[in-house]
Amino acid sequence: MDKILITGVGSGLGRLVARELRSRMEVIGVDRAPAKRFPPGVSVQRLDLRKRPFEELMRKERPRIVLHLALSDAADDRAARRGDREAAATRALLEHCVEYGVERLVVQSSGLVYGAFAANPYRMDEGTPVSGAANGPGIRRWVEADALVASFIWQFPEVETALLRFVPILGRSFGSGVGAYLQLPRVPMAMGFDPMAQFIAEEDAVRALVAAIDHPLRGIYNVTGPGEVPLSTAIRECHRVAWRIPSPLLRRVLAALHGRGLTAFPPGLTDFLKYPVCLDGRRFAAATGFRPKIDLPEIFGRMRR
Amino acid sequence: MANEMTPPNAISDLIGAFKPLAWRRLENEIRARIARVPSELNGYGYDHYGMHPEDVVRVALPGSLLYQRYFKVETHDIDRVPAGRVLLIANHAGQLPFDAMMLGMAMLLEAEPPRICRGMAEYWVSELPFVNVVATRMGSMVGTPRNCVSMLENDECVMVFPEGVRGMNKTWKERYRLQRFGTGFMRLALQTGTPIVPVGIVGSEEQQPGLANWRGLARLLGMPAFPITPTFPWLGPLGLMPLPVKYHLCFGEPMRFEGSEKDEDRLIDDRIAHVRDAVMEQLDRGLALRRGIFG
């Protein structure tokens, strides 16, 4: 039986992937947060990727496959306090992968690393410059970790590495990122802007990760969902109320509200309310045959409370 | 599907009941034509690029009044525009892009089947509040080569004004004199195997006679140009109203070019000279057809 190590297994996506794989693989889960309510057959350890006990685990278990989920799912205010943990943890993990003979590495990243800019093409392929760092500190740490993995792909060809950049993942178990944004009681938008936005259901994201584990992929792949709609349509379909703030004031208003705990929306991400970040997922679809199964009305329907 | 999702709105129904009959008839006609546009919409009524037919109707209504009543547009040989991917290459003039709007309206109201003309917008358009949303819903995109290739590969009808701002803000004495053409469109046409239809737009060159272009002030205000006309800026925003000139849109035979988009500039320039001559030919045809600037 194949042995797979999953980092960030305590996240919504981590639990779903672990449940999906436990029947055919030996699943070792690692998370920094205390682990609760895990399905049987999944061993979960509370470890920090940068610390010695994690290296000892890699040395002892020697997993053939590593699924790195701990890089993403951030960009909320909790992540902002965590400093540069994503990049440091990712770097430690990459070193261990080479050291202890991991054959296949799948990393979950986000398409937001490309950044939100006025001149963004209507769909961005994998060759688009990763410029998200210019949008704010919340994205910058992602971009750093993403760039580490991107260069690792070419530096260490002995590890079959797939870096997956996902469009925003929505689902019941997603309490952070774009999911949290669409759950706000009043959803901030930039007045006079309504960028097209793409989404993918968490089940489809899990299927994409499993497809990446099962296929010999090497390189960077965008993973897209069933389509795109204007942001205002997404908010309406999630039965939320859009709250349009004049764009010159947007950053300051959000910073003030955020500072007083009145909104969970990180002010560093205001550019993403103005300019589209839509991905071209054809490369991943061609390499794995992956097609999303859950359409947009169903994705939004599940976000209603 | 989109209609099932939006709740019935009593107020807009009430307003609808008081609309003049002619207006309602025009609205229905435009709606019927837009329904025949070859396009791929998702369940919410948007295409991949963000075009939304419901919003197109809203803009096309006043647009068609401008088209039929104000500029009294006449088209000549619009059936020369082939089905599938096509680049419409036209002259650009008149301070405000009414020429682009009328070309778009012509393709919607008179082409068979009706087409949505995709515009390639300047970068700063996507930074203007509201304007960027309207442009996207009408089917326009930021004019990056990548966007244009994607649209052509999707068999869209894309209009390009290779004179750009150089043409739009030229002065009265330069009317019907084509400015230098940009080269981007030719490489995109070669790359995607797209036929080029030259279009001569007669009328826009006189709609707002430019006396001068105050470049210094334009730079200061961050605008692409600051035109001085007999009415602007003297009458304020009202001075931007174009004269009720008569428009003629003359379409030439589709031109197909062989070669590689990686050819050196010299070879590309030769082909562009051909297109430029063809646009000029259509302009001359339109000028010969008209009886006067307003009639």
Side-chain angles (χ1 to χ4, degrees):
Chain A
M1 203 147 92
D2 264 343
K3 205 181 266 189
I4 183 169
L5 180 127
I6 304 178
T7 67
V9 74
S11 66
L13 204 57
R15 285 162 192 273
L16 290 171
V17 182
R19 191 183 305 161
E20 188 69 32
L21 292 175
R22 68 183 160 146
S23 58
R24 58 187 176 100
M25 286 185 189
E26 186 183 332
V27 180
I28 306 155
V30 174
D31 205 292
R32 241 172 81 96
K36 278 183 230 153
R37 291 179 286 111
F38 268 92
V42 180
S43 84
V44 177
Q45 305 202 26
R46 197 178 163 193
L47 293 174
D48 185 334
L49 301 190
R50 294 169 300 174
K51 302 273 167 68
R52 198 173 282 280
F54 175 68
E55 187 175 0
E56 182 57 29
L57 178 76
M58 288 289 284
R59 201 178 284 136
K60 201 173 79 204
E61 296 286 352
R62 305 240 167 195
R64 191 177 81 80
I65 308 170
V66 169
L67 175 61
H68 185 36
L69 302 178
L71 181 148
S72 62
D73 207 29
D76 52 10
D77 56 336
R78 278 182 307 134
R81 283 198 294 272
R82 283 205 299 255
D84 64 347
R85 227 187 67 202
E86 288 88 357
T90 298
R91 191 188 156 153
L93 178 71
L94 294 177
E95 281 168 3
H96 299 330
C97 282
V98 176
E99 192 89 357
Y100 302 110
V102 171
E103 287 171 33
R104 190 170 292 172
L105 170 65
V106 176
V107 181
Q108 183 215 357
S109 181
S110 160
L112 300 187
V113 296
Y114 293 117
F117 301 99
N120 270 355
Y122 108 100
R123 272 186 194 173
M124 298 194 268
D125 63 15
E126 290 82 355
T128 310
V130 173
S131 319
N135 287 130
I139 294 294
R140 186 155 61 227
R141 290 189 321 279
W142 269 3
V143 172
E144 283 163 3
D146 182 281
L148 273 178
V149 179
S151 64
F152 178 82
I153 296 171
W154 316 118
Q155 280 171 347
F156 297 96
E158 64 265 35
V159 185
E160 230 166 41
T161 306
L163 176 59
L164 307 187
R165 294 182 180 143
F166 282 81
V167 301
I169 303 169
L170 296 183
R172 288 193 193 88
S173 51
F174 266 75
S176 66
V178 178
Y181 166 70
L182 286 171
Q183 297 285 356
L184 294 175
R186 306 178 84 187
V187 186
M189 274 185 76
M191 193 185 279
F193 291 88
D194 195 3
M196 297 297 279
Q198 295 172 314
F199 303 98
I200 188 170
E202 56 183 3
E203 289 91 334
D204 278 332
V206 169
R207 288 181 44 244
L209 287 170
V210 171
I213 288 165
D214 289 340
H215 284 77
L217 299 181
R218 189 192 301 279
I220 303 169
Y221 297 88
N222 291 336
V223 184
T224 53
E228 52 269 286
V229 289
L231 188 58
S232 63
T233 303
I235 293 169
R236 192 191 68 217
E237 291 301 313
C238 292
H239 287 188
R240 303 277 124 183
V241 179
W243 181 25
R244 289 166 214 268
I245 302 167
S247 56
L249 305 174
L250 186 61
R251 195 179 288 263
R252 253 174 288 168
V253 169
L254 287 175
L257 292 173
H258 191 75
R260 290 170 180 76
L262 295 175
T263 178
F265 189 81
L269 300 184
T270 45
D271 287 343
F272 289 87
L273 302 183
K274 289 167 73 176
Y275 309 122
V277 184
C278 288
L279 309 188
D280 179 347
R282 283 179 295 186
R283 189 163 178 236
F284 185 70
T288 60
F290 169 77
R291 298 281 179 286
K293 281 186 179 162
I294 298 169
D295 61 5
L296 287 172
E298 195 174 343
I299 293 175
F300 296 140
R302 292 169 176 189
M303 295 293 287
R304 295 169 194 163
R305 273 201 215 123
Chain B
M1 196 167 175
N3 284 337
E4 290 169 19
M5 289 176 189
T6 45
N9 189 332
I11 297 169
S12 70
D13 284 355
L14 198 68
I15 294 168
F18 285 102
K19 274 184 196 162
L21 190 63
W23 184 265
R24 249 183 297 169
R25 200 174 290 152
L26 189 61
E27 191 173 332
N28 289 337
E29 192 194 328
I30 290 170
R31 220 177 274 278
R33 289 196 71 85
I34 288 174
R36 289 200 292 129
V37 171
S39 58
E40 199 184 310
L41 304 177
N42 66 19
Y44 297 98
Y46 294 86
D47 78 352
H48 294 310
Y49 307 96
M51 191 268 287
H52 189 42
E54 280 300 306
D55 290 330
V56 177
V57 173
R58 252 169 245 153
V59 172
L61 265 168
S64 69
L65 291 178
L66 274 180
Y67 185 87
Q68 290 163 349
R69 303 286 159 83
Y70 195 79
F71 292 123
K72 301 176 285 295
V73 182
E74 264 181 53
T75 59
H76 307 277
D77 298 315
I78 197 169
D79 52 329
R80 283 175 172 171
V81 179
R85 64 185 70 171
V86 61
L87 270 166
L88 305 181
I89 304 294
N91 56 312
H92 209 17
Q95 318 303 347
L96 285 177
F98 286 103
D99 46 2
M101 190 178 181
M102 291 305 111
L103 184 54
M105 290 307 302
M107 291 306 294
L108 186 61
L109 297 175
E110 309 213 18
E112 223 22 83
R115 306 279 297 264
I116 297 276
C117 242
R118 307 289 188 153
M120 295 275 112
E122 301 274 353
Y123 286 85
W124 47 265
V125 167
S126 46
E127 292 177 10
L128 292 177
F130 304 103
V131 177
N132 77 86
V133 179
V134 174
T136 309
R137 297 294 168 265
M138 295 304 108
S140 288
M141 293 251 77
V142 179
T144 63
R146 199 180 281 265
N147 279 341
C148 192
V149 166
S150 138
M151 289 202 150
L152 292 174
E153 283 176 347
N154 206 23
D155 284 336
E156 302 285 347
C157 167
V158 177
M159 58 178 163
V160 174
F161 301 92
E163 291 173 275
V165 184
R166 289 186 295 279
M168 184 125 114
N169 302 108
K170 62 193 171 190
T171 53
W172 172 253
K173 65 173 192 288
E174 292 167 306
R175 67 188 186 282
Y176 298 112
R177 264 195 250 156
L178 291 179
Q179 305 297 301
R180 183 171 58 77
F181 270 31
T183 57
F185 77 92
M186 180 55 73
R187 292 185 194 276
L188 298 175
L190 292 171
Q191 187 184 341
T192 55
T194 304
I196 287 174
V197 172
V199 184
I201 301 177
V202 170
S204 59
E205 308 257 351
E206 283 111 351
Q207 76 192 12
Q208 277 210 37
L211 301 175
N213 181 9
W214 191 351
R215 285 175 222 276
L217 184 60
R219 240 194 325 271
L220 204 67
L221 297 174
M223 286 159 56
F226 193 90
I228 309 289
T229 75
T231 52
F232 185 82
W234 328 114
L235 300 181
L238 209 67
L240 288 171
M241 191 69 192
L243 299 171
V245 291
K246 167 105 181 155
Y247 261 63
H248 287 272
L249 304 183
C250 299
F251 294 79
E253 293 287 354
M255 307 167 82
R256 289 184 172 81
F257 291 91
E258 303 284 316
S260 160
E261 76 271 18
K262 296 193 174 66
D263 282 344
E264 41 186 302
D265 276 350
R266 186 172 51 83
L267 297 171
I268 297 286
D269 287 342
D270 286 349
R271 300 185 183 113
I272 287 175
H274 275 113
V275 178
R276 198 165 177 272
D277 290 346
V279 173
M280 202 60 234
E281 200 180 299
Q282 294 307 316
L283 274 176
D284 289 339
R285 180 158 82 110
L287 285 169
L289 280 166
R290 74 170 179 179
R291 290 181 296 276
I293 293 181
F294 300 104

